[in-house]
Amino acid sequence: EFPTELGNTFRNLEKAGNPWGANREDRNAWIKECSFPIRVVEGKIPDDVDYLFWVGCAGAYEERAKKTTKAVAELLYMAQVNFAVLGKRENCTGDPARRAGNEFLYQILAKENIDTLQQTFGERKEKKVVVTCPHCFTTIGRDYEQQGIDITTIHHTQLLNELVKSGKLKPVANQNTKENSKEKVTYHDPCYLGRHNQIYVPPRELLEASGAEITEMPRNQERSFCCGAGGGRMWMEEKLGTRINLNRVDEAISTNAAQVTVGCPFCRVMISDGMTARSSNIEVLDVAQRLLLSVKPNSPGTSQDAGASN
């Protein structure tokens, strides 16, 4: 039994391979907006490609999430990391269906993706997939293992943090940053990155590397509070009590931070919408966008491309 409100979402997943019902042909649209080359894997992944970048439905279609996708791609390109994307061969991982109780639809979507991943990686022993969405991170890395494929999933904050530590990415904040120049930010822990996978440190280390002074919300890390989008709630309206995203946004506003940073496209949407509802001008950015701004602070258009929260 599922809420009838999700009927349209399920139909979109069946017919278009994404919850919004967007055209499959548009999955590559974000690539045309990049000023650097993006490799698209048509068949088997080339031997010189180290990571498959799983863009995800939000990262390919949702305008705010697309900015994160482009920021991550640019950072990987700048660090000379060999990566490639599946493009139109990507399908929804099935997370919204499974979390909302439609196991049958999840199994269909999962099988399609697993077949594609097996064809793409072939006999390669280590199958490394970088994702920006914690929902994709958990579904591909954990749920798909139940169907017999072992994928090493890496959240973009983990990989970017490694690149900063190895010196392949050099934020300006690493170069004689003065204490009084640090910007006050707060970080929202996504449920599927934090509590579900215990990834708390990499995003925070990246923020500090970018010159941020982190002011934690009262509920953070393992006791963080949901943005309201998990379990299929992204495509449902809340009709009882206080809206979950407003509850969380009020907590973020109380920190007096200049920015709210996130590591999940769903959280980005919910918190941005909550800020709008509260008539707040606090900026909402993905950690990767803030890092890009610190790596190339004086580049023309960077602020607009990487920093805009709406």
Side-chain angles (χ1 to χ4, degrees):
E1 296 181 5
F2 345 100
T4 55
E5 194 176 356
L6 286 173
N8 190 51
T9 301
F10 292 153
R11 283 190 292 274
N12 288 337
L13 289 172
E14 290 176 30
K15 296 177 180 179
N18 67 84
W20 291 280
N23 193 325
R24 288 179 187 268
E25 296 298 312
D26 293 335
R27 268 197 183 265
N28 284 349
W30 68 274
I31 295 177
K32 298 176 183 177
E33 300 170 15
C34 296
S35 59
F36 49 91
I38 301 288
R39 298 173 71 176
V40 180
V41 180
E42 300 293 344
K44 187 178 177 182
I45 194 167
D47 292 338
D48 65 330
V49 174
D50 298 316
Y51 298 95
L52 181 68
F53 180 14
W54 185 275
V55 176
C57 298
Y61 294 116
E62 206 279 324
E63 288 303 318
R64 286 164 286 194
K66 280 169 63 177
K67 292 173 183 175
T68 301
T69 300
K70 290 185 285 185
V72 171
E74 184 168 2
L75 287 163
L76 295 180
Y77 178 75
M78 292 172 67
Q80 299 183 327
V81 174
N82 290 325
F83 71 96
V85 300
L86 287 174
K88 299 173 188 176
R89 296 169 64 204
E90 258 193 28
N91 218 15
C92 178
T93 61
D95 165 83
R98 170 168 265 199
R99 309 307 171 205
N102 194 337
E103 181 67 15
F104 178 70
L105 178 55
Y106 162 76
Q107 292 289 343
I108 293 173
L109 294 167
K111 185 179 187 307
E112 289 181 15
N113 283 323
I114 289 170
D115 288 346
T116 298
L117 289 167
Q118 287 176 330
Q119 292 167 9
T120 301
F121 284 110
E123 299 302 316
R124 185 182 287 204
K125 290 184 179 179
E126 193 171 27
K127 305 173 180 65
K128 295 189 288 188
V129 175
V130 178
V131 299
T132 59
C133 177
H135 297 257
C136 297
F137 180 91
T138 300
T139 304
I140 296 173
R142 185 180 298 172
D143 292 9
Y144 283 7
E145 192 174 354
Q146 299 170 352
Q147 273 89 358
I149 186 170
D150 186 13
I151 299 287
T152 300
T153 52
I154 304 158
H155 191 253
H156 70 284
T157 58
Q158 292 177 298
L159 180 55
L160 294 176
N161 197 37
E162 290 176 11
L163 295 173
V164 169
K165 287 185 173 181
S166 65
K168 292 182 179 179
L169 289 174
K170 297 180 180 179
V172 172
N174 282 350
Q175 303 168 15
N176 303 317
T177 299
K178 295 180 180 179
E179 189 69 27
N180 60 8
S181 69
K182 291 188 176 183
E183 188 173 25
K184 191 174 179 181
V185 308
T186 191
Y187 173 70
H188 164 79
D189 288 280
C191 296
Y192 279 94
L193 189 63
R195 283 194 302 274
H196 283 270
N197 290 290
Q198 290 79 54
I199 298 173
Y200 303 111
V201 176
R204 288 173 168 82
E205 288 186 343
L206 282 177
L207 290 173
E208 290 173 348
S210 71
E213 176 188 344
I214 303 173
T215 301
E216 297 284 4
M217 286 182 257
R219 293 175 291 186
N220 63 78
Q221 300 193 47
E222 68 274 3
R223 293 189 176 276
S224 186
F225 189 68
C226 180
C227 72
R233 299 294 314 187
M234 178 84 162
W235 297 275
M236 297 173 67
E237 288 296 326
E238 295 174 63
K239 299 170 183 175
L240 297 174
T242 304
R243 294 179 68 92
I244 294 172
N245 66 326
L246 295 184
N247 188 316
R248 187 56 165 168
V249 159
D250 289 342
E251 195 169 351
I253 293 172
S254 72
T255 66
N256 294 316
Q259 284 181 349
V260 179
T261 52
V262 299
C264 171
F266 288 8
C267 297
R268 171 77 177 274
V269 169
M270 298 300 282
I271 292 177
S272 294
D273 289 351
M275 288 295 179
T276 300
R278 290 298 194 225
S279 300
S280 172
N281 59 1
I282 297 177
E283 192 174 32
V284 182
L285 289 179
D286 187 275
V287 173
Q289 292 175 280
R290 182 174 174 88
L291 178 65
L292 180 59
L293 289 167
S294 69
V295 169
K296 43 180 288 188
N298 299 319
S299 296
T302 302
S303 178
Q304 179 181 353
D305 297 337
S309 62
N310 295 319

